[in-house]
Amino acid sequence: MVWTWRYEQGDGTVVTPAGGVEEFSSQGDAESWIGEEWKQLAADGVDRVVLLEDGREIYPMSLHEA
């Protein structure tokens, strides 16, 4: 299984961050990575991310603080 994040703007447009798309071997690794990187992604214009497992949507998450 490959875990990735899809990066989106507020209108749903998919964007590719400057660092490209990271691939992870587990959900935990993907979630730990986003926990460290979300502020930079938000600063780069990403509004929301969607966790994908082998291309299948698992869950979306906003990068804006509540």
Side-chain angles (χ1 to χ4, degrees):
M1 285 185 252
V2 175
W3 297 82
T4 57
W5 291 100
R6 182 175 67 220
Y7 311 98
E8 300 178 351
Q9 294 176 331
D11 64 1
T13 302
V14 175
V15 296
T16 302
V21 175
E22 299 282 335
E23 293 186 350
F24 306 92
S25 59
S26 73
Q27 182 175 355
D29 288 346
E31 291 170 340
S32 292
W33 181 86
I34 203 71
E36 296 172 5
E37 300 294 327
W38 73 270
K39 287 183 181 180
Q40 183 59 53
L41 290 167
D44 291 343
V46 176
D47 293 306
R48 130 185 157 131
V49 293
V50 179
L51 182 62
L52 305 171
E53 175 190 17
D54 291 331
R56 182 176 58 98
E57 290 188 17
I58 303 301
Y59 65 83
M61 182 173 67
S62 173
L63 296 185
H64 297 284
E65 296 184 55

